[in-house]
Structure formats: C-alpha cells, structure tokens
Amino acid sequence: MQTHTVTTPFGRRPMTLGMIASQVTAQNAPEGATVHKWHAFRDIKEARIALGATDRALAILDALLSFHPETAFYGDSALIVWPSNEQLIGRANGMSPTTLRRHLANLVECGLVVRRDSPNGKRYARKGQGGDIEQAYGFDLSPIVARAVEFKELAEAVRAEKKAYKVVKERLTICRRDIVKMIEAGIEEGVPGNWGTVHLEYQAIIGRLPRTAPRQVLEAIAAELDDLWTQIRDVLESFVKTQNMDANESRSDRHIQNSNTESKNESESRFGIKREESGSAGGADNLRSLPKRELPLGIVLDACPNVLWLTKGGDISHWREFLAAADLVRPVLGISPSAWEDAQVAMGEQPAAITLAAIYQRSDQIKSPGGYLRNLTERAKEGKFSPWPMIMALLRAKLDAAKSTGAGIEEAESELGAAKRLDRTEKRLEISDSLRSSLNRRDR
C-alpha cells in the first residue's frame, strides 16, 4: 500500500512551483474519468507548440505510454511507469542518454508527466504479499487523465487555426491570379482604364506580404486584394455590358453603322484623348513630309520631361538611355509586352520610344494607354503616323501653361520655335522618290 506521495526530485534537480502545480493537477483528476491514452496522445501532438513540448519529448512520452499495459486510463487508478533509461532509449529509436534526460525534463516542465523519484533515484515498484504494487517510483502519467479535456480543446483550436490559415492562403493565391489575369485582359482587350495605376496598386499591396506571416496579416492583405478585385471586376463587367448593348444596336441599325464614316474616330474616343494629326500629306506631292523624320533628343526631353522621373539621377544624355527609360515606362502605363513589340516593329524602336514618352507625359488625359498605343500602331502600319505632331502639341501645351502662369515663357517659346524651325527645314529638304529620280536623270 502506498504510504507517501513523492513530491521532490532526486539529486541536484531543483523543486519548482510549476512541478507543484502539475502535481496538484494530477491529484485533482475528475472522478470516474476515462481516457483513451492514444487519443489523448494524438491531441497532445496537435497542441505540441501550445504546450511547449518538443518533438523528441513526444517520442519519449509515446514510449512511456507504451510501458503501461492498459489502453484506457482511469482517474482513480495507479498510472506510474518505471522503465530504465536503457529501456526508454530502446523504444525512443536509440536516443542518446543526454538527449533523453533533456527531453524528459521538458515533459516534466510542460506538466505532461510527474516525477516520482525513489530515495536513490532508481525507478522500481515494491509489491506486497498478494502481488499488488504497494509503492512505485518512476513517471506518473496522471496528468494525461487530469488534463485530457484541456488537451482536446487545445488540439481543436490548433486544427481550426491551421484550417483558417490554409483557407486564407488559398484565398490569396486565387485572388492574386484573378487580379493579374484581369489586368492583362483589360490591357489586351483595350478596356478603358488606367491599368498602369491599377497594377502599381496591386504591386504595392503584394509588396507588404512577408515571406512568412501570421494569419491575421494574411487576412488583412487578402481583404485589400478583395477590394481591388471587386473594382477591376466591376470595370470589366461594365465594359462587357456596354459592348453587348453596342452589338445589339449595330444589329438593329446596321445600315446606319455602315454609312457612318466617322466610326473609327468614335471608337478612339473611348481612350479619352483626341486623335493626333499624322503629319502626312498627299502621296503625289513632290515636296511631302516623310513619316520617319528623326527628332532631336533635346526637343523630345523638353516636350516629355516626365520620363526623367524613371531614370537614375534624373538625366538622359543618349538615345540608348532614352530607350532604356521607355522600357520602364511601359509597365508603369500597364501596356502589354505584345502591344509594345508591335509598336516597335511598326514605328521603329526610337519613334516608338518617343511615342511612349509622349503618352506617359499625357497619361492623366489618356484612359487606356495600351489601347491608344495599339491605335497609333495600326496607323503607323498604314504610314499615317509620326511622333512629330505629338511632340509639337506637347511643346504648345507647355507654352500655353507658361503663359497662364507667367513663368518660363521665353524658354517655352524658344523650345517651340526651335522645333518648328527644324520641322520646316526638314520639310524643305525632304523630296519624293519621283523627284529624286528626275534629278538623277538630269545629272546624267
């Protein structure tokens, strides 16, 4: 018969208030409580981090539970096991003695087991005349019964948190995929909207997403992405509904649509900017304006100073630096790589970069930079577009703004005058192919 309950550890191990608390909890197990030891162990594994237990400590607890012959633990039964360190090492997959002692201490600190040390520190049981155990020294597994409800609640909370974390991760992944593909669709389909700004807003939200983050942070970012998703979706749906209405009208009034010669200009008005003058003249004129006259870099930068914002140091001194800056402008405006490649093929690399800089300069007036560039590309393929008029228009706007504010008038007039003189000089020097052939025949 057990006459005394051991409360202090053997040797140099100190007694702590945590040990006393664990012993009190073990003694206060609910009467008549029955716990399946492996079900309780499963809950402990789920709540391992919340309990502060290590994975090696759980391997030792698994071994300790295996030394008790019963599967069902009762609150009023003796639950002390006394395996030697060698036996524990054998069942704990060959763990070293030092590691075993360290993680046994972890089990005691977490309150999962209680030490019942003998006078000499050995683990054994003393039996009476009838074979019943009178006194046992080893590890008391009573906390498994006493805290079974707590373990179950912790495990359920951990499982719910894991599920919520997985759900918000899936939500983030789908939302990011939807936003990127909807922005691409808006650009490719020419839907009116400042898609460059939308893309920058999306990048700003994603930029705050750390590599590893708690669920609360992920949910806050997911909420912001949901709002952006809703805005983009509304724009695309509104555009689709508008297109469907236009299609219905075209089917009912087909003869009116066919007789309207200004339909192309009406479609361009969706981009929020008037059609630029191409600067081309009749093909039969001997002194005509060729569509690929080269613009000086200085005049282009005077007309499009905003492109300097994207360069390192805010300075461009060579065309190669200007072309590199244009590559930075494209994603800012939300122009797709395919639209940019088509523009470079149709206009040439340098004129396309000038055109992009002019669009960036007037981005506040252009609702769909990608659609506007595609429109200019089509005109360039027909030989009806040159960036000259765009640059001249920007210089005139700069002069008008200077006149309204009264500052920088002389500089703006000088820039516009230089551009006009260069334009007139090149027009005088440019001759048609037929006139050039006639002069060559005369020289012979």
Side-chain angles (χ1 to χ4, degrees):
M1 180 177 179
Q2 187 166 334
T3 58
H4 181 70
T5 301
V6 181
T7 60
T8 57
F10 171 77
R12 298 181 180 179
R13 289 191 294 269
M15 184 67 183
T16 64
L17 293 178
M19 291 181 182
I20 295 178
S22 298
Q23 292 169 6
V24 171
T25 301
Q27 292 172 357
N28 295 330
E31 294 183 4
T34 303
V35 175
H36 192 295
K37 66 179 181 180
W38 298 121
H39 292 176
F41 181 66
R42 180 190 61 196
D43 293 337
I44 292 172
K45 287 195 296 183
E46 290 281 354
R48 176 179 67 83
I49 296 177
L51 293 171
T54 63
D55 53 350
R56 293 293 188 89
L58 292 187
I60 297 172
L61 180 61
D62 185 13
L64 288 174
L65 291 174
S66 69
F67 280 105
H68 197 284
E70 301 295 333
T71 300
F73 284 0
Y74 301 97
D76 54 354
S77 61
L79 299 175
I80 299 177
V81 293
W82 51 91
S84 65
N85 282 355
E86 289 75 12
Q87 291 174 319
L88 276 176
I89 289 173
R91 293 198 185 184
N93 303 321
M95 190 179 299
S96 68
T98 303
T99 303
L100 177 70
R101 287 191 294 270
R102 184 169 67 251
H103 292 288
L104 277 172
N106 177 254
L107 286 176
V108 175
E109 291 172 3
C110 295
L112 297 175
V113 298
V114 175
R115 283 185 181 275
R116 305 295 185 190
D117 287 348
S118 66
N120 61 0
K122 301 292 183 180
R123 303 182 198 120
Y124 58 88
R126 182 183 298 113
K127 296 182 179 181
Q129 293 181 352
D132 295 333
I133 296 176
E134 293 182 347
Q135 184 76 31
Y137 299 101
F139 296 103
D140 190 352
L141 302 178
S142 298
I144 303 297
V145 179
R147 301 178 62 186
V149 176
E150 176 190 351
F151 296 150
K152 186 174 182 179
E153 291 176 351
L154 283 175
E156 290 176 351
V158 170
R159 284 191 288 267
E161 179 65 22
K162 287 182 178 179
K163 182 179 179 180
Y165 188 84
K166 182 178 180 180
V167 169
V168 72
K169 288 283 288 184
E170 292 175 350
R171 176 182 166 197
L172 267 176
T173 301
I174 295 175
C175 198
R176 291 178 65 177
R177 182 186 67 198
D178 287 353
I179 289 175
V180 170
K181 289 185 178 292
M182 286 194 297
I183 290 176
E184 291 177 353
I187 294 171
E188 292 292 338
E189 299 293 338
V191 179
N194 196 344
W195 296 108
T197 302
V198 174
H199 190 264
L200 288 177
E201 182 178 353
Y202 166 72
Q203 291 293 345
I205 297 174
I206 295 302
R208 299 198 305 272
L209 184 64
R211 185 179 297 273
T212 56
R215 175 179 55 83
Q216 293 77 7
V217 174
L218 296 182
E219 287 182 343
I221 294 177
E224 294 185 50
L225 289 176
D226 281 341
D227 292 340
L228 184 61
W229 182 95
T230 302
Q231 296 174 23
I232 298 173
R233 186 73 178 184
D234 289 344
V235 171
L236 295 179
E237 289 181 354
S238 299
F239 181 76
V240 170
K241 291 177 182 178
T242 303
Q243 293 297 99
N244 290 338
M245 292 176 61
D246 291 345
N248 293 334
E249 291 176 2
S250 66
R251 283 193 294 269
S252 61
D253 300 325
R254 187 177 300 276
H255 63 284
I256 297 177
Q257 296 293 336
N258 290 340
S259 64
N260 187 359
T261 59
E262 300 298 328
S263 60
K264 186 174 182 179
N265 290 337
E266 289 178 1
S267 66
E268 291 170 7
S269 65
R270 290 179 302 161
F271 302 134
I273 187 168
K274 294 181 180 179
R275 180 173 177 172
E276 298 287 348
E277 295 297 331
S278 65
S280 62
D285 191 359
N286 285 334
L287 295 174
R288 69 174 185 267
S289 174
L290 298 178
K292 292 187 179 180
R293 299 194 310 276
E294 184 174 345
L295 275 161
L297 179 59
I299 290 179
V300 174
L301 294 178
D302 288 337
C304 310
N306 289 359
V307 74
L308 297 173
W309 299 348
L310 303 177
T311 61
K312 187 176 182 180
D315 184 40
I316 294 177
S317 55
H318 303 286
W319 276 114
R320 61 177 179 271
E321 296 176 354
F322 185 81
L323 296 177
D327 289 333
L328 298 176
V329 170
R330 181 196 64 76
V332 172
L333 291 176
I335 295 174
S336 65
S338 61
W340 176 229
E341 184 178 353
D342 291 344
Q344 289 177 308
V345 172
M347 303 178 188
E349 189 176 16
Q350 187 170 308
I354 296 172
T355 303
L356 199 64
I359 294 175
Y360 183 58
Q361 187 68 28
R362 301 177 63 181
S363 58
D364 58 334
Q365 305 173 30
I366 302 176
K367 293 182 180 179
S368 177
Y372 185 59
L373 181 63
R374 285 191 180 276
N375 181 266
L376 297 180
T377 301
E378 292 301 321
R379 292 164 58 188
K381 291 178 181 178
E382 300 171 1
K384 298 179 180 180
F385 172 75
S386 169
W388 266 92
M390 301 180 73
I391 298 301
M392 296 294 287
L394 289 171
L395 291 174
R396 291 191 194 97
K398 185 176 181 180
L399 177 59
D400 294 340
K403 288 180 178 179
S404 64
T405 59
I409 297 178
E410 294 182 359
E411 181 182 356
E413 288 179 342
S414 175
E415 293 169 356
L416 181 58
K420 286 182 176 180
R421 286 193 299 272
L422 181 60
D423 189 20
R424 287 195 298 269
T425 300
E426 293 202 1
K427 285 181 178 179
R428 289 196 299 268
L429 293 177
E430 290 170 356
I431 62 176
S432 64
D433 292 338
S434 60
L435 181 56
R436 182 178 290 106
S437 299
S438 177
L439 291 175
N440 290 336
R441 286 195 299 270
R442 290 178 184 177
D443 290 341
R444 292 176 185 174

